[in-house]
Protein backbone atom coordinates (compact mmCIF):
# COMPACT_ATOMS: atom_id res chain seq x y z
CA UNK A 1 0.00 0.00 0.00
CA UNK A 2 1.48 3.33 -1.11
CA UNK A 3 0.79 5.64 1.84
CA UNK A 4 2.28 8.83 0.39
CA UNK A 5 -0.79 9.30 -1.83
CA UNK A 6 -3.29 8.62 0.96
CA UNK A 7 -5.19 11.16 3.05
CA UNK A 8 -4.04 12.01 6.57
CA UNK A 9 -6.94 9.99 8.00
CA UNK A 10 -5.91 6.91 6.02
CA UNK A 11 -2.26 7.36 6.97
CA UNK A 12 -3.28 7.75 10.62
CA UNK A 13 -5.29 4.51 10.44
CA UNK A 14 -2.23 2.78 8.98
CA UNK A 15 -0.15 4.15 11.86
CA UNK A 16 -2.69 2.82 14.38
CA UNK A 17 -2.45 -0.57 12.62
CA UNK A 18 1.28 -0.64 13.31
CA UNK A 19 2.63 0.62 9.98
CA UNK A 20 5.66 2.67 11.03
CA UNK A 21 6.18 4.10 7.55
CA UNK A 22 3.03 6.12 8.24
CA UNK A 23 4.95 8.04 10.90
CA UNK A 24 7.57 8.89 8.28
CA UNK A 25 4.85 10.18 5.97
CA UNK A 26 3.54 12.46 8.71
CA UNK A 27 7.06 13.66 9.47
CA UNK A 28 7.63 14.45 5.78
CA UNK A 29 4.36 16.33 5.59
CA UNK A 30 4.47 18.21 8.90
CA UNK A 31 7.94 17.95 10.43
CA UNK A 32 9.06 21.38 9.29
CA UNK A 33 5.85 23.06 10.48
CA UNK A 34 6.12 21.42 13.91
CA UNK A 35 9.79 22.40 14.16
CA UNK A 36 9.09 26.03 13.21
CA UNK A 37 6.30 26.35 15.80
CA UNK A 38 8.57 24.83 18.46
CA UNK A 39 11.48 27.09 17.48
CA UNK A 40 9.30 30.19 17.49
CA UNK A 41 8.06 29.41 20.99
CA UNK A 42 11.22 28.00 22.59
CA UNK A 43 13.76 30.22 20.78
CA UNK A 44 16.33 27.42 20.97
CA UNK A 45 17.15 25.12 18.06
CA UNK A 46 18.09 22.10 20.18
CA UNK A 47 14.98 22.41 22.35
CA UNK A 48 12.89 22.76 19.18
CA UNK A 49 14.45 19.61 17.70
CA UNK A 50 13.81 17.67 20.89
CA UNK A 51 10.23 18.91 21.06
CA UNK A 52 9.61 18.00 17.40
CA UNK A 53 10.79 14.48 18.10
CA UNK A 54 8.60 14.35 21.22
CA UNK A 55 5.50 15.46 19.25
CA UNK A 56 5.93 12.74 16.63
CA UNK A 57 6.68 10.10 19.28
CA UNK A 58 3.50 11.17 21.05
CA UNK A 59 1.57 10.72 17.80
CA UNK A 60 3.13 7.27 17.31
CA UNK A 61 2.41 6.19 20.90
CA UNK A 62 -1.27 6.87 20.61
CA UNK A 63 -2.01 10.46 19.74
CA UNK A 64 -5.73 11.14 19.98
CA UNK A 65 -6.19 12.56 16.49
CA UNK A 66 -9.79 12.84 15.30
CA UNK A 67 -10.23 13.98 11.70
CA UNK A 68 -13.73 15.26 12.53
CA UNK A 69 -12.21 17.87 14.86
CA UNK A 70 -9.69 19.25 12.38
CA UNK A 71 -6.77 18.56 10.09
CA UNK A 72 -3.62 16.70 11.07
CA UNK A 73 -1.68 19.95 10.67
CA UNK A 74 -3.90 21.73 13.19
CA UNK A 75 -3.70 18.75 15.54
CA UNK A 76 0.12 18.63 15.40
CA UNK A 77 0.61 22.39 15.76
CA UNK A 78 -1.78 22.47 18.72
CA UNK A 79 0.06 19.53 20.30
CA UNK A 80 3.38 21.28 19.66
CA UNK A 81 2.13 24.52 21.19
CA UNK A 82 0.84 22.70 24.27
CA UNK A 83 4.09 20.77 24.78
CA UNK A 84 6.16 23.95 24.22
CA UNK A 85 4.17 25.79 26.88
CA UNK A 86 4.75 22.89 29.29
CA UNK A 87 8.46 22.95 28.53
CA UNK A 88 8.66 26.73 29.02
CA UNK A 89 6.95 26.36 32.38
CA UNK A 90 9.48 23.69 33.40
CA UNK A 91 12.37 25.92 32.35
CA UNK A 92 10.91 28.87 34.24
CA UNK A 93 10.37 26.76 37.37
CA UNK A 94 13.98 25.53 37.23
CA UNK A 95 15.21 29.09 36.80
CA UNK A 96 13.16 30.28 39.77
CA UNK A 97 14.50 27.46 41.96
CA UNK A 98 18.03 28.33 40.93
CA UNK A 99 17.48 32.02 41.68
CA UNK A 100 15.96 31.18 45.06
CA UNK A 101 18.87 28.89 45.89
CA UNK A 102 21.35 31.54 44.76
CA UNK A 103 19.69 34.20 46.98
CA UNK A 104 19.98 31.91 50.01
CA UNK A 105 23.73 32.57 50.18
CA UNK A 106 25.00 35.85 51.61
CA UNK A 107 26.62 38.06 48.98
CA UNK A 108 29.97 38.44 50.76
CA UNK A 109 30.54 34.67 50.95
CA UNK A 110 30.10 33.99 47.23
CA UNK A 111 33.68 34.72 46.22
CA UNK A 112 35.56 33.60 49.27
CA UNK A 113 38.89 31.81 49.02
CA UNK A 114 37.26 28.56 50.18
CA UNK A 115 34.65 28.81 47.41
CA UNK A 116 37.34 29.33 44.80
CA UNK A 117 39.32 26.37 46.12
CA UNK A 118 36.20 24.22 46.14
CA UNK A 119 35.38 25.20 42.56
CA UNK A 120 38.92 24.39 41.44
CA UNK A 121 38.78 21.00 43.19
CA UNK A 122 35.40 20.22 41.62
CA UNK A 123 36.67 21.23 38.18
CA UNK A 124 39.66 18.90 38.55
CA UNK A 125 37.39 16.03 39.61
CA UNK A 126 35.13 16.61 36.61
CA UNK A 127 38.13 16.69 34.24
CA UNK A 128 39.34 13.39 35.71
CA UNK A 129 35.87 11.86 35.40
CA UNK A 130 35.64 12.99 31.76
CA UNK A 131 38.94 11.25 31.02
CA UNK A 132 37.37 7.96 32.18
CA UNK A 133 34.67 8.11 29.50
CA UNK A 134 35.01 6.38 26.13
CA UNK A 135 36.47 8.79 23.55
CA UNK A 136 33.29 9.26 21.48
CA UNK A 137 31.10 9.88 24.54
CA UNK A 138 33.62 12.37 25.94
CA UNK A 139 33.89 14.10 22.57
CA UNK A 140 30.10 14.49 22.29
CA UNK A 141 29.88 15.96 25.82
CA UNK A 142 32.77 18.35 25.24
CA UNK A 143 31.25 19.58 21.99
CA UNK A 144 27.87 20.06 23.65
CA UNK A 145 28.99 21.73 26.87
CA UNK A 146 32.32 23.37 26.08
CA UNK A 147 31.68 24.34 22.45
CA UNK A 148 27.93 24.96 22.91
CA UNK A 149 26.92 22.89 19.88
CA UNK A 150 23.45 21.41 19.48
CA UNK A 151 23.03 17.67 19.03
CA UNK A 152 22.32 18.22 15.32
CA UNK A 153 25.49 20.25 14.90
CA UNK A 154 27.49 17.54 16.68
CA UNK A 155 25.88 14.93 14.42
CA UNK A 156 26.91 16.90 11.33
CA UNK A 157 30.45 17.58 12.59
CA UNK A 158 31.11 13.96 13.57
CA UNK A 159 29.21 12.50 10.60
CA UNK A 160 27.14 10.23 12.84
CA UNK A 161 23.37 9.75 13.17
CA UNK A 162 21.55 12.12 15.53
CA UNK A 163 20.23 9.16 17.54
CA UNK A 164 23.79 7.96 18.13
CA UNK A 165 24.83 11.41 19.35
CA UNK A 166 21.88 11.47 21.76
CA UNK A 167 22.72 7.95 23.00
CA UNK A 168 26.40 8.83 23.55
CA UNK A 169 25.44 11.99 25.41
CA UNK A 170 22.94 10.18 27.63
CA UNK A 171 25.35 7.31 28.42
CA UNK A 172 28.16 9.78 29.15
CA UNK A 173 26.00 11.79 31.55
CA UNK A 174 24.86 8.64 33.34
CA UNK A 175 28.47 7.46 33.66
CA UNK A 176 29.56 10.86 34.99
CA UNK A 177 26.74 10.77 37.52
CA UNK A 178 27.97 7.36 38.68
CA UNK A 179 31.61 8.49 38.87
CA UNK A 180 30.80 11.78 40.59
CA UNK A 181 28.04 10.42 42.79
CA UNK A 182 29.34 12.16 45.92
CA UNK A 183 29.14 15.55 44.15
CA UNK A 184 25.64 14.97 42.82
CA UNK A 185 23.99 13.91 46.08
Amino acid sequence: MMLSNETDTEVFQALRSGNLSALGIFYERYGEIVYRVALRMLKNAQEAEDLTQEVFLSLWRGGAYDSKRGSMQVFLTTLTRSKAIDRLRQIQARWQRLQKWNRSFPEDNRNSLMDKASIKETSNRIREALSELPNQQRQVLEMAYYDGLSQSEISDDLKMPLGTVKTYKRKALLKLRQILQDLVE
Side-chain angles (χ1 to χ4, degrees), residues 37-44 47-48 51 84 87-88 91:
V37 170
L39 183 60
R40 191 175 319 121
M41 293 187 71
L42 299 173
K43 297 176 180 28
N44 179 299
E47 289 284 336
L51 187 66
R87 189 163 293 196
L88 287 170
I91 291 168

Side-chain angles (χ1 to χ4, degrees), residues 6 26 41 52 68 81 87 94 96-97 105 116 121 125 140 153 170 174 182:
E6 301 296 325
F26 282 135
M41 293 187 71
T52 299
K68 295 173 189 155
R81 183 180 177 281
R87 189 163 293 196
R94 271 189 244 133
Q96 288 173 345
R97 283 193 303 272
F105 294 103
K116 289 178 183 176
E121 181 183 336
R125 296 243 350 256
V140 167
E153 291 168 329
R170 175 94 174 123
L174 290 171
D182 59 317

Side-chain angles (χ1 to χ4, degrees), residues 128-143:
E128 289 172 12
L130 280 169
S131 70
E132 294 181 34
L133 295 175
N135 286 338
Q136 288 184 314
Q137 290 179 13
R138 186 184 72 255
Q139 186 178 20
V140 167
L141 275 189
E142 287 173 346
M143 291 174 81

Side-chain angles (χ1 to χ4, degrees), residues 27-168:
Y27 189 82
E28 286 175 21
R29 290 180 184 176
Y30 305 111
E32 187 174 343
I33 293 167
V34 168
Y35 174 77
R36 289 185 186 279
V37 170
L39 183 60
R40 191 175 319 121
M41 293 187 71
L42 299 173
K43 297 176 180 28
N44 179 299
Q46 184 173 348
E47 289 284 336
E49 288 173 10
D50 290 346
L51 187 66
T52 299
Q53 182 178 10
E54 185 179 322
V55 166
F56 283 96
L57 282 174
S58 180
L59 179 65
W60 175 59
R61 289 183 178 143
Y65 171 64
D66 182 1
S67 61
K68 295 173 189 155
R69 296 184 66 193
S71 69
M72 179 59 74
Q73 180 176 339
V74 170
F75 173 75
L76 290 173
T77 54
T78 302
L79 183 62
T80 303
R81 183 180 177 281
S82 175
K83 287 184 176 294
I85 289 170
D86 289 344
R87 189 163 293 196
L88 287 170
R89 286 181 182 147
Q90 290 172 345
I91 291 168
Q92 183 179 14
R94 271 189 244 133
W95 177 251
Q96 288 173 345
R97 283 193 303 272
L98 181 62
Q99 292 296 93
K100 184 178 178 182
W101 181 79
N102 200 27
R103 284 191 302 267
S104 69
F105 294 103
E107 189 69 36
D108 58 341
N109 289 340
R110 288 190 187 165
N111 294 318
S112 72
L113 186 58
M114 286 299 281
D115 285 344
K116 289 178 183 176
S118 176
I119 289 170
K120 184 170 177 100
E121 181 183 336
T122 301
S123 295
N124 289 337
R125 296 243 350 256
I126 291 172
R127 256 189 242 105
E128 289 172 12
L130 280 169
S131 70
E132 294 181 34
L133 295 175
N135 286 338
Q136 288 184 314
Q137 290 179 13
R138 186 184 72 255
Q139 186 178 20
V140 167
L141 275 189
E142 287 173 346
M143 291 174 81
Y145 292 103
Y146 294 144
D147 299 337
L149 298 179
S150 71
Q151 292 175 347
S152 293
E153 291 168 329
I154 295 169
S155 174
D156 292 341
D157 286 358
L158 297 179
K159 308 272 188 279
M160 69 174 56
L162 180 60
T164 303
V165 170
K166 289 181 179 189
T167 299
Y168 283 163

